[in-house]
Amino acid sequence: MNTMTNETKHYRRYTIALVLLTIVEMIVFHFAMSIEGILMLFPLNLAFIILWIYAFVIVFRCFRMRDKWQRCIMIWIIILLLYMPIFWAIRKMAFLSVKYDLPNGITMTVEPEKITFDENGKKSSIEFLNTSEHYSLTLIEGDTLYFFTSDSVSIQTHELRYPIKIYIDNNKEEYEKATIDTKLKWSYCYNFVNDSPFIYGVQTLEIRKGDSIYSQWWMNNAGYLNCREEGDKSVRSIYK
């Protein structure tokens, strides 16, 4: 009878520890999805590490799985082990590279940390030194490329044939004045929300054709599946 009581106490401790580990891991993962680098999460790391060490102690005590409680505990720990890598993979699924056809035979490939332009086999690129989730890119007459981001992001260019002007955050009005409809050749807007496993975003491409702007949008939604929905093309005159 006393042995059963001790086992019950152990199982209660194991259950409490695994409940706490589940909660802490979900919180850590939530911030890992919105902030690049798990090193940013170390206020929670001590509890995370202690609970994981204890979880491995539980594994050594229950790995024989002699009864249903030990089997349940082992399955729980396996799920916790798989939680991070599975949802980190889902995060990456949301940002698969996408290609767009721009005027003059140029192909633009958008990736989470890089934009590549391919013109007759000659490639140039804009690379983000840390991932940007909100930015706009506009090419105006005279082939000047304007870049706006609301993030604190640094960029590097590689063999970019366009001179580039960068606007950040509080310079949005200046960016909009410099890229008004009558000047633009094409513009692209990338806007993602990345604060949970259910990542979603909208990408919009506008191209000038004659006196009109052709606009098309794509919506990406990556929860447990990666979906890409295309919106209807719309046309508007550049003259108000």
Side-chain angles (χ1 to χ4, degrees), residues 79-136:
I79 291 170
L80 289 174
L81 277 170
L82 295 176
Y83 182 83
M84 281 269 187
I86 287 173
F87 282 101
W88 200 268
I90 289 172
R91 178 186 184 275
K92 294 299 182 183
M93 282 175 60
F95 299 108
L96 295 174
S97 64
V98 181
K99 291 187 178 182
Y100 300 94
D101 293 324
L102 303 177
N104 302 323
I106 300 171
T107 300
M108 179 174 70
T109 303
V110 179
E111 300 173 83
E113 297 171 354
K114 190 176 183 181
I115 303 168
T116 304
F117 300 95
D118 189 339
E119 186 176 3
N120 298 321
K122 186 175 182 181
K123 293 185 178 181
S124 59
S125 64
I126 300 171
E127 189 170 347
F128 306 118
L129 301 185
N130 49 311
T131 304
S132 180
E133 296 172 4
H134 312 281
Y135 64 82
S136 297

Side-chain angles (χ1 to χ4, degrees), residues 206-225:
E206 294 185 338
I207 296 175
R208 177 174 175 173
K209 295 182 179 179
D211 294 337
S212 300
I213 302 293
Y214 286 71
S215 179
Q216 196 167 9
W217 60 266
W218 294 263
M219 180 174 288
N220 292 59
N221 184 1
Y224 292 101
L225 295 172

Side-chain angles (χ1 to χ4, degrees), residues 6-19:
N6 287 338
E7 284 186 2
T8 302
K9 287 181 179 178
H10 286 319
Y11 291 148
R12 283 178 181 173
R13 282 204 302 269
Y14 298 164
T15 302
I16 291 169
L18 292 177
V19 168

Side-chain angles (χ1 to χ4, degrees), residues 124-163:
S124 59
S125 64
I126 300 171
E127 189 170 347
F128 306 118
L129 301 185
N130 49 311
T131 304
S132 180
E133 296 172 4
H134 312 281
Y135 64 82
S136 297
L137 198 63
T138 300
L139 185 70
I140 66 165
E141 292 177 356
D143 284 351
T144 300
L145 194 63
Y146 287 80
F147 179 88
F148 170 79
T149 178
S150 57
D151 304 323
S152 297
V153 60
S154 299
I155 70 169
Q156 285 184 347
T157 60
H158 300 276
E159 300 183 3
L160 192 66
R161 76 178 185 88
Y162 311 110

Side-chain angles (χ1 to χ4, degrees), residues 188-199:
Y188 170 77
C189 184
Y190 178 99
N191 187 11
F192 268 75
V193 174
N194 179 20
D195 60 358
S196 73
F198 299 95
I199 307 161

